[in-house]
Amino acid sequence: MELVYLLEHNPVFFTGSVFALGLLVGSFLNVVIYRLPVMMERDWKALAHEHLSLDPPEETAPLTLSRPASRCPHCNHRIRFYENIPLLSYLLLRGKCSSCGQSIPLRYPLIELSTGLLSAVVAWHFGYGMQAGAALLLTWALITLSMIDFDHQLLPDAITLPVLWLGLVLSLFPVFADLRSSLIGAIAGYLSLWVVYQLFRLVTGKEGMGFGDFKLLGLLGAWLGWQALPVIVLLSSVVGALLGGILIFLRGRDRAQPIPFGPFLAIAGWTALLWGEQISSAYLQWSGLTG
């Protein structure tokens, strides 16, 4: 009871606790980001072989989000529990495998740290309660989707659809939007990008985005209501232009190579989750549409 009292009445303690939780969750998200696309690819290959009446693909070791235990990709060293403490283990190991000395990719501790920091921001913004809990789940889902889309240009239905449905369920209470706004938001979010996709394909003969982007915007509409969609679309366009330009400049990315839009939608959606109303009010005042 004392712990619950501290979490509820001490914002600093609550925020620090959520930061620590975010570090742990970030470690798990690293596993999901790496393994889920591999698991999906294996399923696709098996289905393709079955559909084409081909011999089954070569047997590989079973892979789930929990098994097998994490290992070094260079020497196959099984990572011990004390070598897998979020952020701390990376620092103590100086960013290298304890067995072979090969470098551990910096992205792993960065994802853990980012998850911890973003979780702490959510905790500080909403305070102890249902909104904070729901916002944390959405934050973790958006981080996972962003990284998978960045790596593979893929937004897995295994994440987007359950989180979309969760947004609709939360609207029954409501947490961020009422049921009517949530339902219209899910429909309008999906259809708006679907229409843009169809028009772009009709004019250029090319596919400008994937169906996962439609579902992601529908997800955000379900969570935040249709009123948040204009802000999300505007912010995602701005973020996409800025970060896309930086990627092209820093990495020499081919302009003809598609840049995933999912991370930009996720950043915009997360920003709207926390400060959407303030951004809308500031824009209306700046544009002179309100007195």
Side-chain angles (χ1 to χ4, degrees):
M1 293 300 294
E2 292 183 1
L3 177 59
V4 174
Y5 181 85
L6 276 175
L7 291 172
E8 187 173 359
H9 294 90
N10 190 323
V12 175
F13 181 77
F14 177 58
T15 301
S17 300
V18 171
F19 173 74
L21 175 63
L23 292 178
L24 295 172
V25 172
S27 180
F28 174 69
L29 297 188
N30 275 320
V31 176
V32 178
I33 291 165
Y34 174 76
R35 293 192 180 188
L36 184 57
V38 177
M39 293 163 56
M40 294 174 64
E41 183 179 357
R42 289 186 180 183
D43 289 341
W44 293 337
K45 286 183 177 179
L47 289 173
H49 279 71
E50 180 180 353
H51 180 72
L52 297 173
S53 300
L54 301 175
D55 293 333
E58 296 182 6
E59 289 288 337
T60 54
L63 180 67
T64 68
L65 295 181
S66 59
R67 296 188 181 189
S70 298
R71 296 179 180 272
C72 173
H74 302 285
C75 66
N76 207 35
H77 164 68
R78 181 170 179 171
I79 298 174
R80 305 177 183 91
F81 74 92
Y82 54 82
E83 296 174 328
N84 205 25
I85 302 173
L87 205 58
L88 183 60
S89 292
Y90 183 87
L91 296 175
L92 293 176
L93 293 171
R94 298 182 179 179
K96 296 180 180 180
C97 172
S98 63
S99 178
C100 66
Q102 288 289 331
S103 296
I104 301 171
L106 184 60
R107 64 177 285 166
Y108 295 132
L110 285 180
I111 289 174
E112 292 169 354
L113 179 60
S114 298
T115 305
L117 291 174
L118 294 179
S119 299
V121 172
V122 166
W124 184 262
H125 180 84
F126 289 108
Y128 182 83
M130 181 178 288
Q131 278 194 325
L136 286 172
L137 292 177
L138 180 59
T139 300
W140 300 336
L142 292 177
I143 291 171
T144 307
L145 288 169
S146 296
M147 294 307 302
I148 292 177
D149 198 27
F150 185 81
D151 290 338
H152 303 281
Q153 285 75 59
L154 177 69
L155 292 166
D157 286 349
I159 299 175
T160 53
L161 296 184
V163 176
L164 188 156
W165 279 106
L166 178 58
L168 293 173
V169 170
L170 290 174
S171 70
L172 295 173
F173 294 93
V175 178
F176 298 110
D178 59 77
L179 179 59
R180 180 183 177 87
S181 296
S182 177
L183 184 58
I184 295 175
I187 297 171
Y190 184 93
L191 289 181
S192 59
L193 287 188
W194 181 84
V195 170
V196 171
Y197 165 86
Q198 296 295 346
L199 291 175
F200 184 84
R201 189 174 68 167
L202 182 64
V203 173
T204 66
K206 300 178 181 179
E207 297 183 356
M209 61 183 68
F211 279 65
D213 297 318
F214 316 160
K215 298 169 189 175
L216 179 54
L217 188 56
L219 178 159
L220 295 171
W223 276 72
L224 306 179
W226 64 267
Q227 298 89 340
L229 291 178
V231 173
I232 294 173
V233 172
L234 178 62
L235 286 176
S236 62
S237 300
V238 173
V239 172
L242 290 175
L243 294 185
I246 292 173
L247 281 174
I248 292 173
F249 178 76
L250 293 180
R251 301 177 59 182
R253 199 179 186 110
D254 184 1
R255 287 175 173 78
Q257 183 179 354
I259 296 177
F261 192 54
F264 308 143
L265 279 174
I267 293 172
W270 188 81
T271 304
L273 170 69
L274 273 68
W275 304 291
E277 292 184 6
Q278 294 91 323
I279 293 172
S280 296
S281 298
Y283 175 76
L284 291 174
Q285 289 181 359
W286 173 78
S287 62
L289 295 177
T290 59

